[in-house]
Amino acid sequence: MAAVLLRPYRASVRLLPLLCGGTRSKGASLNPGVPGRLTQRRYKKDVLPSPEGPVPSVSVTEIRQYLRAKGIPFHDGFSCLHTPSLFTSEQEAQHQPPPATSTPYTLFIDKTTGSFLCTATLAEGTWQDFQANVELQHRGVPFPSSGELEEDMRRAREDARCIWDRALPLWELLDEDETHMTKAMFGISAVTDATLKRFGVRYLRTAKSLVFPWFSPRDASLKGVKLVGVESQEDTIAYVEQTLPRPGSYRNLFGLPLISRRDTEVVLTGRELDAVALYQATGVPSLSLPRGPTCLPPALLPYLEQFKRITLWLGEDLRSWEAAKLFARKLNLKRCSVVRPGDQQPRPLEALNQGLNLTKILRAALPAGHKSIISFRQLREEVFGELVNVEQVAGVKWARFPDLNRLLKGHRRGELTIFTGPTGSGKTTFISEYALDLCMQGVCTLWGSFEISNIRLAKIMLTQFAARRLEEQLEQYDEWADRFEDLPLYFMTFHGQQNIKTVIDTMQHAVYMYDITHVVVDNLQFMMGHEQLSVDRLAAQDYIVGAFRKFATENTCHITLVIHPRKEDDEKELQTASIFGSAKASQEADNVLILQDRKLAAGPGKRYLQVSKNRFDGDIGVFPLDFSKASLTFSGKSKVKVPGWCHKPVGGGGQAEGHGYVDALPRDVPAWDVCPGLMHRTSHPKDN
């Protein structure tokens, strides 16, 4: 199996007393759709593959051959194959594949995974589910009836409905001064009431938040909402986001109901307010991704198939630029263009506030795909961008390990890090916190733990996340588990010896499905037992290391590989040469980290981390680690932090874009306190 999410979504019911009390607002009459309608048919409840075994892979050639054999018409799209739906009521009555001339092609099959989505009925599932339903159809067996939504999803929709009904359209606030103050607070003074009305943006007074709807593409019923609050920070404003349902189930393309079937061009933005500003300034159809540059769920690809040209304008920093290029690979490079970040090309809302020409910026977007051979002239602007944004090029900074930032400068995509340390020194515990730190900053992480179970690993990471022993405070477990669940963290369900090809295939699947940018493999020795006994073990290890090196480069994904050291004298410190196997591991690695454990005769030993190789800028060194048994952390951090988005303010200081650390939520903020979830924080200059 590939990977499993931590827990199924559980809607928060504590949000309702504060946000949904009292009478309904006059904005409730604008609500489209029928409250409480259950529209989605699910053939597979789990988003990720089942733990019983790996999901069989399928190629696009095999999919085409199967469709031809069954007489199902289809045609090629950019990311999907298009076929008539199997699930419409007419077909259920006929029990036969429809002719291509009479039925619209509303079912989309992903060319990479084989997963399908019917946009007419919202039926979805794996390639195996599709085959099963085709076989039922040919046998004349009735299709399964549409089952009700899961209880948690139903409750989430009820919560979203309550919030939506309580929210007021901005242009209908009783006090005109309040309207102007609210717009200024969110930096949208330049956005007109007509534009806000077109996109259905509302304002929730009790939470002081903008409310963005998620409408079903099938019948325009409300499926969820996103609340965006604001915090002032000197000369910047910080946007704090929360979704219902929670982020893992929130798959909204904001603005999709406004798209016409005749539209062939669209701009994808990283935030709802950017889509609103962009449409107002250019009139070009604009959509917003549900989680910005963090991920592009493959389930959204069918809704983008109609567009012949897609421009990605996700943000103003290098991380958004990297994400845009990766998303373009999913969408088909030939039809994608990317807006390169720069002083004269900030994100759309900021460009509108600065009075820039957004149409001109769109026309200057660069093709996402390069030719096999290019000149420096084509790379010139990207090289200049790296020189200007030195801190962002250095990568995502650790919040718990400032000394690691001092030496490695940051966590960068496309690199291979080798990590080693003596047996029993705490390698797994340290690397858990090392990866958790990055994951809390939005680095989508895949864990492959072959030595300890995922339950034990998740328990360690949850303890590090909460910075406390939850077994002694069980009443707080659900609150911390809810927050932990919203991290972009996935686990491979392998345990014990595994074949390298199976592991690489699983990683490839995770990169496509969940936009993984960091893979932790603990450890290499557990993948060597599957190699044939006649093969030299050193040669087998070299092959495995080479496979990981190639994967990191081709997928722009950072791999942290744990390797046990050779058996050496416990009194001696480990060196780079102490890594088990040949020298290939250290040669291929961009970074080599060694957890040193100095044993003391009287009392516990001293542990410290040694950076013995740093290909980025050559800095190496050593720094001590302070282990806390209560929180299982090596960082010595006692202050609880929760994840948030941090974007570098335009023209000012601040942290590069990505998840950063925000102090624990104050208890006097009911909207966020009673409904914990993954929060995103973005900083931009105030609209004066």
Side-chain angles (χ1 to χ4, degrees), residues 279-485:
Y279 176 80
Q280 175 177 306
T282 65
V284 176
S286 305
L287 301 174
S288 173
L289 297 178
R291 296 176 67 182
T294 303
C295 64
L296 171 58
L300 298 179
L301 298 182
Y303 299 109
L304 301 172
E305 281 290 288
Q306 75 179 74
F307 303 108
K308 296 180 180 179
R309 175 180 169 84
I310 298 178
T311 303
L312 294 107
W313 191 350
L314 301 184
E316 71 285 325
D317 65 354
L318 288 181
R319 191 173 182 186
S320 297
W321 170 252
E322 290 178 343
K325 290 189 289 185
L326 288 178
F327 294 168
R329 292 167 59 179
K330 283 187 181 182
L331 294 165
N332 192 311
L333 292 171
K334 294 181 180 179
R335 64 168 172 161
C336 292
S337 299
V338 183
V339 174
R340 183 182 61 82
D343 292 338
Q344 295 302 311
Q345 297 185 160
R347 62 191 321 136
L349 178 61
E350 182 56 30
L352 179 67
N353 291 336
Q354 293 181 16
L356 300 178
N357 189 330
L358 276 72
T359 301
K360 183 178 179 180
I361 295 175
L362 284 179
R363 290 174 181 170
L366 302 175
H370 281 307
K371 297 180 180 179
S372 298
I373 300 177
I374 57 177
S375 66
F376 175 73
R377 182 177 182 180
Q378 294 167 283
L379 297 173
R380 179 169 178 163
E381 290 301 319
E382 291 192 49
V383 173
F384 178 74
E386 293 209 357
L387 293 175
V388 171
N389 301 283
V390 176
E391 284 298 311
Q392 295 182 35
V393 173
V396 180
K397 303 295 188 293
W398 285 271
R400 301 188 179 205
F401 301 101
D403 289 313
L404 202 54
N405 294 329
R406 175 175 55 84
L407 296 174
L408 289 181
K409 305 303 182 291
H411 179 271
R412 295 166 290 276
R413 295 186 181 186
E415 292 190 351
L416 173 64
T417 295
I418 299 296
F419 178 67
T420 191
T423 301
S425 61
K427 291 191 298 297
T428 299
T429 304
F430 172 80
I431 211 67
S432 297
E433 186 180 12
Y434 156 100
L436 176 65
D437 189 333
L438 298 169
C439 188
M440 291 173 67
Q441 300 181 69
V443 177
C444 298
T445 303
L446 176 67
W447 247 100
S449 176
F450 306 113
E451 192 166 0
I452 66 173
S453 69
N454 285 329
I455 295 177
R456 182 181 171 193
L457 176 61
K459 177 184 174 183
I460 293 172
M461 298 183 76
L462 179 59
T463 301
Q464 294 171 335
F465 179 73
R468 64 193 67 190
R469 297 181 66 87
L470 291 174
E471 56 264 40
E472 299 173 359
Q473 306 175 50
L474 293 178
E475 70 280 0
Q476 298 184 18
Y477 174 78
D478 282 335
E479 178 181 355
W480 284 108
D482 283 345
R483 295 182 180 182
F484 187 64
E485 180 183 332

Side-chain angles (χ1 to χ4, degrees), residues 81-97:
L81 296 177
H82 306 187
T83 78
S85 176
L86 301 174
F87 307 103
T88 58
S89 58
E90 294 81 7
Q91 291 171 228
E92 290 183 18
Q94 297 173 1
H95 298 298
Q96 295 205 0

Side-chain angles (χ1 to χ4, degrees), residues 421-687:
T423 301
S425 61
K427 291 191 298 297
T428 299
T429 304
F430 172 80
I431 211 67
S432 297
E433 186 180 12
Y434 156 100
L436 176 65
D437 189 333
L438 298 169
C439 188
M440 291 173 67
Q441 300 181 69
V443 177
C444 298
T445 303
L446 176 67
W447 247 100
S449 176
F450 306 113
E451 192 166 0
I452 66 173
S453 69
N454 285 329
I455 295 177
R456 182 181 171 193
L457 176 61
K459 177 184 174 183
I460 293 172
M461 298 183 76
L462 179 59
T463 301
Q464 294 171 335
F465 179 73
R468 64 193 67 190
R469 297 181 66 87
L470 291 174
E471 56 264 40
E472 299 173 359
Q473 306 175 50
L474 293 178
E475 70 280 0
Q476 298 184 18
Y477 174 78
D478 282 335
E479 178 181 355
W480 284 108
D482 283 345
R483 295 182 180 182
F484 187 64
E485 180 183 332
D486 287 333
L487 295 177
L489 177 64
Y490 303 87
F491 298 97
M492 288 187 272
T493 56
F494 299 127
H495 189 67
Q497 296 180 350
Q498 295 297 330
N499 180 277
I500 179 61
K501 184 180 184 303
T502 304
V503 175
I504 292 292
D505 288 345
T506 299
M507 291 162 52
Q508 193 75 56
H509 173 83
V511 166
Y512 179 82
M513 291 294 294
Y514 315 112
D515 298 291
I516 296 298
T517 56
H518 184 203
V519 179
V520 182
V521 179
D522 182 14
N523 57 63
L524 177 139
Q525 276 81 357
F526 276 87
M527 279 173 289
M528 296 177 60
H530 262 257
E531 304 303 322
Q532 296 183 8
L533 296 178
S534 59
V535 177
D536 178 55
R537 288 182 61 82
L538 295 183
Q541 176 172 326
D542 289 351
Y543 171 77
I544 295 172
V545 171
F548 282 130
R549 169 74 270 174
K550 181 180 180 182
F551 182 91
T553 302
E554 291 182 347
N555 294 277
T556 322
C557 179
H558 192 114
I559 294 181
T560 300
L561 179 61
V562 180
I563 303 179
H564 285 316
R566 291 192 178 98
K567 297 294 183 180
E568 295 184 349
D569 189 347
D570 291 340
E571 302 298 325
K572 295 181 179 179
E573 291 186 349
L574 298 178
Q575 306 295 328
T576 302
S578 303
I579 298 174
F580 181 85
S582 68
K584 184 176 179 65
S586 58
Q587 291 171 352
E588 292 279 9
D590 296 283
N591 314 294
V592 175
L593 307 181
I594 303 175
L595 180 61
Q596 302 284 7
D597 188 8
R598 182 175 298 173
K599 304 293 184 182
L600 299 179
K606 295 290 184 180
R607 279 175 280 200
Y608 55 95
L609 189 72
Q610 177 181 353
V611 178
S612 62
K613 182 179 181 180
N614 174 7
R615 186 171 282 165
F616 180 70
D617 68 355
D619 283 356
I620 58 175
V622 175
F623 61 89
L625 296 173
D626 182 16
F627 180 71
S628 169
K629 189 173 182 180
S631 61
L632 300 181
T633 59
F634 281 90
S635 58
K637 294 288 184 182
S638 59
K639 191 175 184 180
V640 176
K641 301 289 185 177
V642 295
W645 278 100
C646 296
H647 290 248
K648 184 176 181 181
V650 178
Q655 185 176 346
E657 181 182 6
H659 273 272
Y661 282 81
V662 184
D663 290 341
L665 297 173
R667 288 290 169 182
D668 58 349
V669 184
W672 311 125
D673 179 52
V674 300
C675 191
L678 182 66
M679 295 176 299
H680 310 282
R681 169 166 295 194
T682 57
S683 300
H684 294 281
K686 288 182 179 178
D687 178 17

